[in-house]
Each structure stands twice: as structure tokens, then as C-alpha cells.
Amino acid sequence: MAPKGKHPLIITGKDEMRKWSRQMRSQGKTIGLVPTMGYLHQGHLSLIQEAHNHSNLIVVSIYVNPGQFSPSEDLSTYPSDFHGDMLKLKSVPGGVDAVFCPKNLYDYSNDSGEKQKSENLGSGCASGLVSCVEDKGNGHETWVRVERLEKGLCGKSRPVFFRGVATIVTKLFHIVEPDVAVFGKKDYQQWRIIQRMVRDLDFAIEIVGSEIMRDRDGLAMSSRNVHLSPEEREKALSISRALLKAKSAAKDGRVKCSELKDLAILTITKTGGRIDYAEIVDQDSLEAVTEIKSPVVFCIAAWFGKVRLIDNMEISI
Ligand code: AMP
């Protein structure tokens, strides 16, 4: 375990990353991977702490994945602060052994064995889906899809999102070759999709789901919170308030999901938040349920100004 205050090794090349992992594994060490897009906060750091419970060495990846953003989304304004991230990683209890921060995981021009010149696939890709990867055009055309789980919730308004997530996580798994990977339940659908992908494709990697970290006032921590104005941040508190209200109503015996959804939606829209979705779904299948009889998760996405936030709460009665 790296001691607190230790500088993690910074690795940018995928060959170098794989070499490091293989070397460590040959010494009998197990590796835990925490994939992130950077601009780290306590939520990310809690995943690192969780990873320490499952492996000897920790790799944190920092990579803003263009494959999960559509050209109209916020890739260009996604916040970053590499220096600040490194300071945070240095201070995390247990430390971090390596940070993998590649420049572009869709640029194959330097790969050995890549003889052909990458063609520009442009937006005319076969699937009809266009992310910032096809938009740039660099020959990448292989995507991983978790067909049913990717469709609802965030997948409805962000059709390229989970295809991009599953693909980049697959790439990271092949490059880092971890024993364990930790994902936040803040992105509940993402966590379930990665679990399913790992099961279906026989990755020998344990997937751990880690609890949501919130600010003191209940707002789920997110890198995107930095874009909220003070007024919008105040309004955004309505998401966690709405979820708590629904959870306590369910505990009081109000188990009809339409009622609970109305209650939550009203709490958010009253403040001026704009709902993308508010769905109560089964925790495993993510299928909508009409009445709470078994453990469910209430998932909400809402806009506050130009910022789209997601949050969720598990409810079992
Ligand atoms: P991101 O950098 O937003 O892609 O997130 C990287 C990882 O951190 C994902 O597994 C997220 O689910 C997780 N994460 C983000 N915010 C939180 C939070 N507030 N609590 C716990 N995990 C989080």
C-alpha cells in the first residue's frame, strides 16, 4: 500500500501501463482500478479508499472519454485540474500507486501493428450513433453495448453514453488488467451496466459498487457541480430532498410509484429544476416498477440552468 503523501507514478502510455501492471502482478500484487474523468472530489477519493479494501495496489485513471459524449454535449467544458487532482491523490489515506492519464485512447497512429492509415469514418458510421469520437474521425469503429440495460434512464436522453462508457471501461480493463474495479453508485445505471458487461463477457475482474458521497447539505458530489451558480446549487438541493421525501413516504406505506414520482417531481419543479427523468426501477433489471414490493432504486436526472445532474436512492421497505 502506498503511504499517504507519496507521489503516485504518472503513466501516460498504454504499453507502459500494461507493463507496470504485469510487473506488479508477477510479484504477486493485486491491482484495484478506479476509473475517473478527473476534477476529483471526495466521492472519487471514497472509491479509492474502498479499493484499498480489495487490492494491494491502486491505479486511478483520469481520462475524459470523448466516446461517451455526443457532439452537442459538454465535452469541451468538462472541468479539469490535473495539478489539483494530484494533490488530492497524494493526500488520500492509503495513497495511490499509479495514475493512468492517457492523452487519447482512440488514436492508434503509434500502435505497433497498426499498418493501415486510419480512415475518417465521419458521422456516417454504421450504427447511426455519433459520439465525439466518430465526429473527429480516427478509424475507431468497435463498440461494446449492453443492449437492454443501456436503453432506459440516462440512455434515453444520452443515446451514445453507455456505449461509450462500456467501451472505454473495456479498453481500460485491457490496458490496466486490474483484479478489482470500483464504481460509484452515484452513477447507478453505469455500475449495473459494467457489472453485467463483466459477467456477460467473462472479464476476470471483480466489480465493486461504492456508496454515494454527498455534501453536508445533501447534494451528491459531482465534478459538474462546479458549473452551478450559487442560486442553481440551492435549487439543485431539491433532488436529494425529493428522493428523501419519496423514501420516507414509502417507509410510511405509500408504495404506489406514480404517487412517489409525483411527489419528487413537484419538489424539483417547484424550485425551477427541469426533469429529464424520474423513475423507480428494480435494482438489478432497472425495469420500471409500479408498486414497491422488493428493493428498488429511485433515479432522477434534472437540469438546473445548463447543468444536468443525476442522483438516486435505494429504497427497500
Ligand atoms: P466521473 O469522474 O464522474 O466519471 O466518476 C468516476 C467515478 O466516480 C464513477 O464510478 C462515479 O460513479 C464515481 N462518483 C462520482 N461522484 C460520486 C459520488 N458523489 N459518490 C460516489 N462515487 C462517485
Side-chain angles (χ1 to χ4, degrees), residues 123-144:
S123 53
C125 63
S127 70
L129 294 177
V130 179
S131 71
C132 291
V133 168
E134 286 97 344
D135 204 41
K136 280 250 157 44
N138 52 11
H140 181 96
E141 57 172 317
T142 308
W143 298 96
V144 181

Side-chain angles (χ1 to χ4, degrees), residues 33 40-41 65 75 82 95 127 159 219 269-270 275:
L33 171 66
L40 302 178
H41 50 67
N65 170 31
L75 176 64
F82 187 71
S127 70
L219 186 68
T269 51
K270 253 190 350 205
I275 302 284

Side-chain angles (χ1 to χ4, degrees), residues 32 43-44 62 79 83 97 100 143 148 170 172 200 202 210 240 252 272-273 309 315 317:
H44 297 111
I62 298 181
H83 182 66
D97 298 279
F100 179 49
W143 298 96
R148 192 184 51 78
T170 298
L172 289 170
D200 290 353
D202 296 303
S210 196
S240 55
D252 289 344
L309 299 179
I315 305 177
I317 51 167

Side-chain angles (χ1 to χ4, degrees), residues 4-262:
K4 187 170 169 175
K6 188 193 145 184
H7 278 288
L9 184 67
I10 298 174
I11 300 177
T12 53
K14 52 187 178 181
D15 293 339
E16 195 193 341
M17 182 70 247
R18 193 180 282 116
K19 199 168 147 199
W20 182 88
S21 283
R22 289 188 176 177
Q23 210 164 44
M24 294 302 137
R25 284 167 66 117
S26 74
Q27 293 168 16
K29 303 273 199 278
T30 56
I31 296 172
L33 171 66
V34 178
T36 81
M37 298 209 296
Y39 208 73
L40 302 178
H41 50 67
Q42 197 54 44
H44 297 111
L45 305 188
S46 71
L47 304 188
I48 296 169
Q49 280 166 270
E50 181 60 36
H52 276 297
N53 297 329
H54 302 269
S55 55
N56 305 128
L57 301 176
I58 308 297
V59 177
V60 173
S61 62
I62 298 181
Y63 182 61
V64 183
N65 170 31
Q68 68 194 59
F69 289 80
S70 83
S72 63
E73 290 175 339
D74 59 348
L75 176 64
S76 62
T77 57
Y78 198 84
S80 74
D81 174 17
F82 187 71
H83 182 66
D85 288 350
M86 292 309 292
L87 289 176
K88 285 174 194 153
L89 292 179
K90 241 180 82 175
S91 72
V92 73
V96 167
D97 298 279
V99 175
F100 179 49
C101 45
K103 203 158 170 243
N104 181 356
L105 283 178
Y106 299 91
D107 176 4
Y108 306 105
S109 50
N110 292 325
D111 283 20
S112 50
E114 173 70 5
K115 299 261 170 4
Q116 294 155 283
K117 196 173 170 292
S118 293
E119 345 93 86
N120 186 338
L121 293 176
S123 53
C125 63
S127 70
L129 294 177
V130 179
S131 71
C132 291
V133 168
E134 286 97 344
D135 204 41
K136 280 250 157 44
N138 52 11
H140 181 96
E141 57 172 317
T142 308
W143 298 96
V144 181
R145 307 205 46 181
V146 181
E147 294 192 347
R148 192 184 51 78
L149 284 179
E150 72 165 30
K151 285 209 164 72
L153 304 173
C154 287
K156 270 195 191 144
S157 59
R158 304 190 70 189
V160 300
F161 181 64
F162 289 117
R163 181 191 75 157
V165 168
T167 303
I168 202 67
V169 170
T170 298
K171 284 161 78 69
L172 289 170
F173 284 177
H174 287 314
I175 295 166
V176 179
E177 299 184 344
D179 300 276
V180 180
V182 183
F183 291 84
K185 290 193 192 177
K186 155 84 169 29
D187 299 83
Y188 201 91
Q189 187 178 15
Q190 170 174 288
W191 167 53
R192 288 303 196 197
I193 282 176
I194 299 303
Q195 269 185 329
R196 186 60 52 94
M197 176 188 90
V198 161
R199 187 201 72 175
D200 290 353
L201 299 183
D202 296 303
F203 281 94
I205 298 171
E206 181 193 350
I207 301 301
V208 175
S210 196
E211 297 307 321
I212 301 177
M213 293 294 287
R214 299 178 178 281
D215 286 332
R216 257 169 217 250
D217 54 13
L219 186 68
M221 292 178 184
S222 164
S223 305
R224 287 187 169 98
N225 290 352
V226 69
H227 291 314
L228 294 167
S229 68
E231 298 76 33
E232 285 164 349
R233 193 187 175 289
E234 192 59 34
K235 292 175 180 179
L237 293 175
S238 63
I239 304 193
S240 55
R241 225 172 30 239
L243 289 167
L244 278 172
K245 265 192 195 174
K247 186 168 179 156
S248 95
K251 296 265 182 225
D252 289 344
R254 290 166 65 188
V255 291
K256 279 185 78 176
C257 294
S258 56
E259 245 186 72
L260 299 175
K261 284 196 279 187
D262 287 348

